[in-house]
Amino acid sequence: MSQHVLLRYRDVRADLRSLDNYVADGGYRTARRAVHEMKPEEVLQTVKDSNLRGRGGAGFPTGLKWSFLAKGTGKPTYLLCNADESEPGTFKDRDLMDHDPHQLLEGMIISAFAIGCHTAYIYIRGEFAFGADVLNKAIADCYAKGYLGQSVFGSAYSLDIHVHRGAGAYICGEETGLIESLEGKRANPRIKPPFPAVYGVFGCPTIVNNVETLACVRHIVERGAAWFKGIGPESGPGPKLYCVSGHVKRPGTYELPMGTPLMDLIFEHCGGMLPGRKLKAVIPGGSSVPILKADECDIAMDFDSVVKAGSMLGSAGIIVMDDSTDMVAALRRIAHFYHHESCGQCTPCREGTGWLEKLLIRLDEGLASEGDIATLDSVAKGMLGTTICVLSDAAAMPVRSFLQKFPEEFLAAATGRSRVVAADATAAA
Amino acid sequence: MAKVTINAKTIEVPDGTNLVRAAEMAGLEIPHYCYHPGLSIAGNCRMCLVDIRAMSTKQPNPLPKLQIGCNTTVQDGMVVESNNPRVIEARQGVLEFLLINHPIDCPICDQAGECKLQEYYMDYGRYHSRFALKEKVDKGKVIPVGPDIMLDQERCILCTRCVRFLEEFTRTFELGIKERGDHSELTLADGKQVDNPYATNIVDICPVGALTSREFRFQARVWYLDATPSICAGCATGCNIDVDLRHERIYRLKPRFNSEVNSFWMCDAGRRTWQRNHGEHRLIGSYVRGGSEFVESDPHEVVSRAADALKSHRRTAVLASAHATMEEGWLAKRIAALCGNGPCVVVSPASSEIPTDDKLISTDRFPNRAGLVALGFTEHTAPPEDVDSILMLRADVVAADEDRWGMFLEDMGETLVVADEIGKTMAYADHVLAAGSHFETDGTYVNRGGRLQLFRTAVAPPGRALAGWQLLAELLARLGGPRYESVDEIFAAMCTEIGLGSGRTHASVATSGVALADWKQGRAAAARSEGAGAQA
Ligand SMILES: Cc1cc2nc3c(=O)[nH]c(=O)nc-3n(C[C@H](O)[C@H](O)[C@H](O)COP(=O)(O)O)c2cc1C
Ligand code: SF4
Ligand code: SF4
Ligand code: SF4
Ligand code: FES
């Protein structure tokens, strides 16, 4: 896409962090129009009609989520922007916040207006100090201009937005963990029901949306649901940020239409594999989703197509691996992450994540037996669908898919045969 | 009400009931650790996973994932399977996960025998560990977390029952979880100790041997203990308890569920009341004064001599402690009626320095004041007038105030003391009868809420002591009154006389007690507390 929507900062010469520049580029027109001329239900209907699906990982339809909000409770409604972005392989939200904070704020003003929220929070990953500063500056500028506060754009609508820096754990990104953390507690995910739309932060109806999701809202309301639906598959359309990392020539964040072919992403947009290397596998949606072998990568990158291929679009963190990759070592690294990040509440996740890593260390260090491979698979199986949040599944799914797709490498590790690495990697380099 | 089918058994349960409780009502068990009916739902152990085959009449579709029974409330038409192969496999998985880092030191663990981990492991366990021992996570053992409680972090399954109790019931917040993943451990909050009046309840609710009572640790194997239902005599609340004993020795008191009184809990002071029972001050023989000396005699002999002494006096007052049981109080009243219609007085001070809280502890440290008052006792702290003899029932008035009572008792022609402990009042006694404590008799108390509650004989009275009702019944007979042979006869007669209805027996007092006001009017009060929840 030569013309960026979400990554517009790349097309505009001026620094969009400046409120003046953002406004000069057409910014805040839509939010102003929404609060003055639209009814909240209209905005909500537009978002529904656009078929926008959440960009945080699960791909849940945003308009539908908003319509689940408990009504008439007499309690305030909260909008929380999930800017915790900690899924390995994912770095799009940071890009959006660092370079174009007002786009997010505008999306939040419109979304908050749609759901009748007067206090919103941006829960930003603690390590994103720069992004937090950028957002705080942008928010201060908005208050100074009357774009936020008692009377948003001079209307009767009021909205406060606060930036809350996260507490340094992956689990703070799980929406109910985020809520607990925002309340000042350990980020232990909550049991559901009740769902946040009924009982969220401070016990009030709450919507949690990803940064990219909320940024999309601005453009949907600006250009209409039909425009959005026209980009990519109708069941889950829109401009999409793909985060490509790994063994490609030009890793980075790419904005492309939803449903862009994975092979195009790798071989055109990212310039292909590193010299002399061959594609071996791709994790298409952040480290928690099942891996795809090279010959399974001929797919479109949208929610439904990736599911059809046996994996998930997740956060669109695309991790590309070439033929020099040792799958046992790679999986060990992934397992280490989930072991480190399990909050430890649920038995299968608390104990299972540690067990998986220990088995993989043994395999990787040549101390395991063949039986350990079967144990690995059954431990992972016992972690699926049995816990409070899906971190447990996120830890188990890669294990099962690696074992299923690269059994020979695990067997080699277990039986002491030489490990599979790129046969021609050194020769070709 | 909602109709729910669990393992092909259909029952009707109140709306809002969760599946663990609903299953209990159907006589089935859904294994669980973190769920406790007295606490909020945490849903973390994942032991109670069940298969929902139909959500409700309106949504007859099965749910794709297993659900936790503790956090699933019944809906009309719900169909649940809690024992199909899928559920059993998941449960085995959870158990295996629980055990990989568990020390499995059952042979030296106090919880062994009443440990849910041990129990379910035997039911569903995979007996061969697939986990390498040297890879276990090491944590702390033998950590004192308060004056009465020890923690073993390795045994802890992180169910947070204790944490929730301290957050929700005492609101003292001494314990929490630190670290995460399999390094999570139960720990004390900075600068705190679990040192609150209800602390030991966390030992009861800990489903494993992670929290142990420093008093009970290593004292007995629980499978050798027998439990007798009783009532705590520590204060006017009358918490329902079980007395755990072996070979005529009490080892511990544990709260027994009663929704109307103490729910699942009791206080620590009450929990320690058994210690006096085996203390050195117990009175184990009956005595007759011979000059300045006491001579030990056969209790029946002392009763007969005391009867003769009372007969030779004009008017006898009964001075009773509010520790006296209903049966004892009533017999004493009958005795007073035969001895010049003397006054019957409760002499226990009505309040102590111990503050009442909004939970269980009452500032009235006596278990039966309301009962004695219902029998017609009056409350006085001053000595009665116009009497020449005294029946002193479990009251050590001289210990409380020697100046006031010493002189008064010196003027009495006859002082008969019925007591379970040696006390200062005995110095003024002419006859002393050794009675069993309330752990050593059947009887009833009426608590501060007007609830009549039954306790059973847990252990036999020590030495030559006899149950209080036995001594008083014999005395009454010797004074010319009717002869009662059993405590049930006494109870029945008492109930008839004070308008509690006729034909009442101890057995007709439900295990949860009866509200006196209801009983008086013949209402079946027991029904109210029936089915209000079993032990977790
Ligand atoms: C363990 C875990 C971590 C998560 N981390 C994030 C995150 O960092 N950012 C995010 O937007 N969503 C994350 N999610 C997804 C959120 O729970 C939630 O679904 C999402 O924020 C909803 O936003 P959306 O509807 O706009 O996608 C995570 C989920 C899980 C289970
Ligand atoms: S699944 Fe894991 S991370 Fe999620 S709540 Fe349970 S223990 Fe915590
Ligand atoms: S100490 Fe016992 S009650 Fe407390 S969390 Fe551990 S297992 Fe549960
Ligand atoms: S509150 Fe009173 S009755 Fe209950 S255990 Fe404590 S002393 Fe006994
Ligand atoms: S009892 Fe239901 S999850 Fe623990």
Side-chain angles (χ1 to χ4, degrees), chain A residues 242-248 261-263 265-267 273 278-287 289-299 301 306 309-313 316-323 325 327 334 398 401-402 405-406:
Chain A
Y242 295 102
C243 322
V244 190
S245 62
H247 303 141
V248 292
L262 178 54
M263 295 305 251
L265 250 165
I266 297 171
F267 290 98
M273 303 301 291
K278 284 208 300 261
L279 179 65
K280 180 172 184 178
V282 175
I283 298 177
S287 65
V289 307
I291 194 166
L292 299 173
K293 293 177 77 162
D295 60 10
E296 297 170 313
C297 288
D298 210 354
I299 55 165
M301 288 296 283
V306 186
S311 187
M312 284 183 275
L313 182 62
I318 301 169
I319 304 171
V320 183
M321 304 180 190
D322 69 20
D323 50 358
T325 311
M327 288 301 162
I334 292 175
S401 74
F402 272 64
K405 308 238 164 121
F406 302 97

Side-chain angles (χ1 to χ4, degrees), chain A residues 53 97 156 170 205 338 351 369 371:
Chain A
R53 289 170 66 175
M97 295 184 288
Y170 172 61
Y338 291 103
E351 306 295 340
S369 65

Side-chain angles (χ1 to χ4, degrees), chain B residues 372-394:
Chain B
L372 295 182
V373 170
L375 288 173
F377 280 64
T378 53
E379 289 199 77
H380 277 300
T381 43
E385 281 161 20
D386 189 27
V387 294
D388 57 3
S389 48
I390 295 289
L391 167 55
M392 191 72 76
L393 187 52
R394 297 188 187 278

Side-chain angles (χ1 to χ4, degrees), chain B residues 119-421:
Chain B
E119 259 168 56
Y120 296 143
Y121 179 63
M122 299 319 274
D123 293 349
Y124 303 102
R126 291 192 168 114
Y127 294 102
H128 297 286
S129 175
R130 301 191 292 166
F131 190 75
L133 195 61
K134 60 178 189 303
E135 291 176 347
K136 264 190 205 285
V137 181
D138 294 325
K139 296 182 195 170
K141 296 182 88 75
V142 206
I143 305 168
V145 289
D148 304 316
I149 299 165
M150 248 351 161
L151 166 66
D152 183 321
Q153 287 170 321
E154 292 192 338
R155 289 180 190 158
C156 169
I157 59 166
L158 298 158
C159 70
T160 69
R161 278 184 175 190
C162 56
V163 176
R164 280 174 282 145
F165 177 81
L166 298 171
E167 282 175 7
E168 295 162 14
F169 187 76
T170 60
R171 303 198 56 74
T172 45
F173 305 94
E174 295 99 335
L175 289 173
I177 309 282
K178 75 169 182 202
E179 300 298 336
R180 62 189 185 203
D182 56 8
H183 291 272
S184 301
E185 56 190 34
L186 183 70
T187 190
L188 278 172
D190 276 352
K192 289 207 177 183
Q193 287 273 300
V194 189
D195 187 9
N196 67 62
Y198 299 93
T200 309
N201 287 296
I202 64 177
V203 174
D204 296 335
I205 61 177
C206 180
V208 295
L211 295 171
T212 45
S213 145
R214 295 174 81 170
E215 173 191 80
F216 180 69
R217 267 166 83 76
F218 309 133
Q219 295 301 305
R221 276 310 197 182
V222 295
W223 53 83
Y224 292 129
L225 299 180
D226 291 321
T228 301
S230 186
I231 300 298
C232 175
C235 79
T237 301
C239 293
N240 291 211
I241 57 172
D242 272 323
V243 182
D244 278 359
L245 56 105
R246 183 185 185 207
H247 295 333
E248 299 299 326
R249 182 184 179 304
I250 299 174
Y251 281 86
R252 62 176 176 183
L253 306 182
K254 287 180 76 169
R256 181 164 52 84
F257 176 78
N258 187 332
S259 62
E260 302 293 313
V261 181
N262 54 317
S263 179
F264 298 92
W265 323 120
M266 74 184 293
C267 81
D268 281 12
R271 212 179 269 273
R272 284 191 283 264
T273 52
W274 68 267
Q275 291 170 343
R276 288 183 77 149
N277 215 63
H278 299 310
E280 0 173 303
H281 299 294
R282 288 304 304 274
L283 184 62
I284 56 173
S286 296
Y287 297 88
V288 177
R289 183 180 290 281
S292 61
E293 293 284 295
F294 273 129
V295 182
E296 192 184 343
S297 310
D298 174 75
H300 305 286
E301 174 66 23
V302 181
V303 168
S304 120
R305 293 232 201 156
D308 292 343
L310 290 179
K311 271 192 233 160
S312 68
H313 286 82
R314 187 173 57 81
R315 194 160 184 252
T316 307
V318 174
L319 301 184
S321 145
H323 264 125
T325 70
M326 291 302 280
E327 293 73 7
E328 291 164 0
W330 183 73
L331 288 168
K333 254 202 109 206
R334 304 275 328 241
I335 289 166
L338 293 179
C339 297
N341 253 333
C344 291
V345 182
V346 183
V347 289
S348 301
S351 67
S352 66
E353 283 101 71
I354 293 176
T356 299
D357 59 19
D358 57 353
K359 301 178 177 74
L360 299 175
I361 297 170
S362 167
T363 176
D364 180 355
R365 303 309 295 163
F366 296 89
N368 196 33
R369 183 182 312 276
L372 295 182
V373 170
L375 288 173
F377 280 64
T378 53
E379 289 199 77
H380 277 300
T381 43
E385 281 161 20
D386 189 27
V387 294
D388 57 3
S389 48
I390 295 289
L391 167 55
M392 191 72 76
L393 187 52
R394 297 188 187 278
D396 193 0
V397 288
V398 175
D401 188 345
E402 180 139 24
D403 290 345
R404 168 173 289 175
W405 291 101
M407 288 232 294
F408 168 78
L409 289 177
E410 251 164 27
D411 290 345
M412 289 299 120
E414 164 66 20
T415 299
L416 167 60
V417 167
V418 180
D420 52 41
E421 278 188 337

